Amino acid sequence: MINIKKNILTNNQIKYLSYLISLVPAALIAGAFIADLIASFCAIFFLYISVKEKLKIIYSYWIVKLLILFCIYLILKSIINSEEFHSILRSFFYIRYVLFSLLICYIYNLNPKFSKIFFKILTLTLITLSIHAYLIHFFNFDLLRMNFNQINIEQNFSLIYNQWNVPFDYRISGLFYSESVLGSYVEKILPIYLGLVFLNKKSAKYYLLSIVFLFLIIISGERSSIALSILFLITFFFTYETNLKGKVNLILIFLLIFVFVFSNPNLKKRIVDNTFFNITEKIIHLNQDEEILKKDELNKLNKNDQFFQNIYLFIKEKLKINIFSLGHQGHFISAFKIFINNPLFGIGIKNFRYECKKPEYKDIYSCTTHPHNTYMQLLAETGIIGFLFIFTIFTFLSYKIFTIIFFRKIRKKLSNHFKCFLLGVFINFWPLVPTGSFFNNWISICYFLSLGFFLGEIYKNISQNKI
């Protein structure tokens, strides 16, 4: 039996830490800097108390050990391979996110009031975010800027009045403004929120609020976040231990999403029409000089390049589709080429943006800041070894969900809030969607915030012999 409730902190310290962690979701809206500052402080504080008070038990779970080994691997790899300074710096300090999640796990088990504090602040944060975003979506009115001259009741149904006014790439970013991450933010936070609703046994109005927050993801127009949210709902539908009424309610939510998207011209254009266009769009036409250059490059292909070219031609000519879009497809192919040339250790964190400019990888759609997929990025930048650390965790999560779905005894034994925390981490590691950079500060905090609650519930279940 594992028990991590060793109280080495004063009541005030526990309370202050509970509130500090609870402010992270609000800080993420303000930007990565404040949230990262809080996460870094939490990491340093936890490292200090865990060493001073010998909290070895908190490091005992295999996922924690694996993540620490992953961080050590990143550090050693960057030093041994003499990587760029920014890669070494990123590698050295990445462990702060693991320590941040461990402090969440520790406080979650130490303070019975923590879940209630976090829930109240998160509810207020999401309500504020919702009011602001829905006013922009339906009325083109920014509550913070108070510009009454721009209010337009027809804002989101312009196709009914004039079909040519419908924007092709419609998005709502809300309080994030220039950063189009509203959907990504809510998609990563919502499983935690729903888990806390179950944990704190809240009334039906909070389940309705969860639906309101869910539709924030839809109006954001972020297709990856929408896909992951639907994945969350589907897996939750099969793991949720409830009566027939509960299952019917989940089906009704799916129908509401479907009606909401197809009845709104802007959303339909972005989510359905634009997606179909991206998957089926053709490569841009090259001018004559570029065509000659392209043919010359193809003649110089080595075996690996020819292998990729065959895959590319099969997708384009036989299946006649793109992998998400021409841009994403180019990024993935470029990342995989880099991995083939650097299979064990990769090229170093944050180095894809420089490596993809080299002649052997450069193509029309090949170069960007990162490959826009977690596992392609891990392969290219950390090699097969770094990839296997994270993929092992994803495999375990998949297996755990499989057992919950197909074994009713396990499904009944585990709480619904545990399932929400589990699924929250699972969708973060889902491989079949475009994603942000795995090593981005903002995204890392979102990932490890979710992981902290999952680990907290894992340790609680182990101490109670439930798993």
Side-chain angles (χ1 to χ4, degrees), residues 75 85 92 137 163 167 189 222 243 295 308 328 343 431 449 452:
I75 295 169
F85 179 72
F92 190 82
H137 178 67
Q163 62 179 338
I189 295 293
E222 294 175 43
N243 53 26
K295 288 178 181 178
F308 289 112
H328 288 106
L449 179 68

Side-chain angles (χ1 to χ4, degrees), residues 71-72 74-78 83 86-95 348-349:
C71 294
I72 293 171
L74 293 179
I75 295 169
L76 293 176
K77 178 181 76 71
S78 62
E83 293 172 3
H86 62 264
S87 292
I88 297 174
L89 202 63
R90 285 274 177 178
S91 301
F92 190 82
F93 289 106
Y94 192 75
I95 197 169
I349 295 175

Side-chain angles (χ1 to χ4, degrees), residues 2 18 41 44 47 105 109 133 135 172 212 230 234 271 309 315 324 366 379-380 385 394 404 462:
I2 294 178
S18 297
F41 172 80
I44 294 168
L47 183 62
C105 168
N109 280 272
L135 283 174
I172 293 290
V212 172
I230 292 173
I234 292 171
I271 298 169
Q309 188 67 20
I315 292 170
F324 304 116
S366 64
L379 285 170
I385 299 173
F394 173 74
I404 294 172
I462 291 175

Side-chain angles (χ1 to χ4, degrees), residues 187 223-228 231 324 328 332 371-376 427-436 447:
E187 164 256 312
R223 291 168 294 178
S224 293
S225 299
I226 293 168
L228 289 174
L231 175 66
F324 304 116
H328 288 106
F332 298 165
H372 289 86
N373 179 272
T374 293
Y375 294 99
M376 296 308 301
I427 63 173
N428 285 339
F429 288 161
W430 181 253
L432 302 178
V433 290
T435 64
Y447 284 176

Side-chain angles (χ1 to χ4, degrees), residues 133-224:
Y134 281 120
L135 283 174
I136 292 176
H137 178 67
F138 288 110
F139 305 112
N140 196 35
F141 175 58
D142 189 331
L143 192 61
L144 294 186
R145 294 176 178 173
M146 298 295 286
N147 190 343
F148 295 96
N149 295 327
Q150 292 183 2
I151 294 179
N152 179 9
I153 297 177
E154 300 174 3
Q155 154 76 4
N156 234 276
F157 300 93
S158 54
L159 188 61
I160 298 171
Y161 307 98
N162 183 352
Q163 62 179 338
W164 304 111
N165 288 338
V166 178
F168 187 67
D169 199 28
Y170 175 81
R171 293 192 189 191
I172 293 290
S173 56
L175 289 172
F176 294 96
Y177 288 103
S178 60
E179 299 291 331
S180 297
V181 293
L182 172 63
S184 179
Y185 171 85
V186 181
E187 164 256 312
K188 291 173 176 60
I189 295 293
L190 193 58
I192 299 175
Y193 181 81
L194 190 57
L196 292 175
V197 172
F198 284 114
L199 177 62
N200 294 308
K201 296 179 172 61
K202 292 297 180 179
S203 60
K205 67 180 180 181
Y206 290 100
Y207 294 104
L208 291 174
L209 268 179
S210 299
I211 296 172
V212 172
F213 302 150
L214 172 66
F215 275 81
L216 275 182
I217 304 171
I218 309 300
I219 69 170
S220 74
E222 294 175 43
R223 291 168 294 178
S224 293

Side-chain angles (χ1 to χ4, degrees), residues 243-291:
N243 53 26
L244 181 61
K245 183 181 177 182
K247 297 286 187 182
V248 170
N249 287 338
L250 280 173
I251 293 172
L252 287 174
I253 292 172
F254 280 111
L255 292 175
L256 275 174
I257 292 172
F258 181 83
V259 171
F260 189 63
V261 169
F262 279 87
S263 66
N264 188 302
N266 289 332
L267 292 177
K268 180 179 176 294
K269 191 82 171 180
R270 165 68 184 172
I271 298 169
V272 180
D273 300 347
N274 199 11
T275 300
F276 180 77
F277 171 80
N278 288 152
I279 292 174
T280 59
E281 68 179 317
K282 304 298 182 183
I283 195 167
I284 62 171
H285 294 291
L286 304 175
N287 61 41
Q288 189 174 4
D289 292 336
E290 289 172 325
E291 285 281 8

Side-chain angles (χ1 to χ4, degrees), residues 412-442:
K412 289 183 70 175
K413 191 177 182 180
L414 296 173
S415 63
N416 284 323
H417 63 269
F418 173 83
K419 294 166 190 171
C420 287
F421 297 153
L422 166 65
L423 293 174
V425 181
F426 172 73
I427 63 173
N428 285 339
F429 288 161
W430 181 253
L432 302 178
V433 290
T435 64
S437 172
F438 184 78
F439 298 104
N440 174 274
N441 292 359
W442 189 90

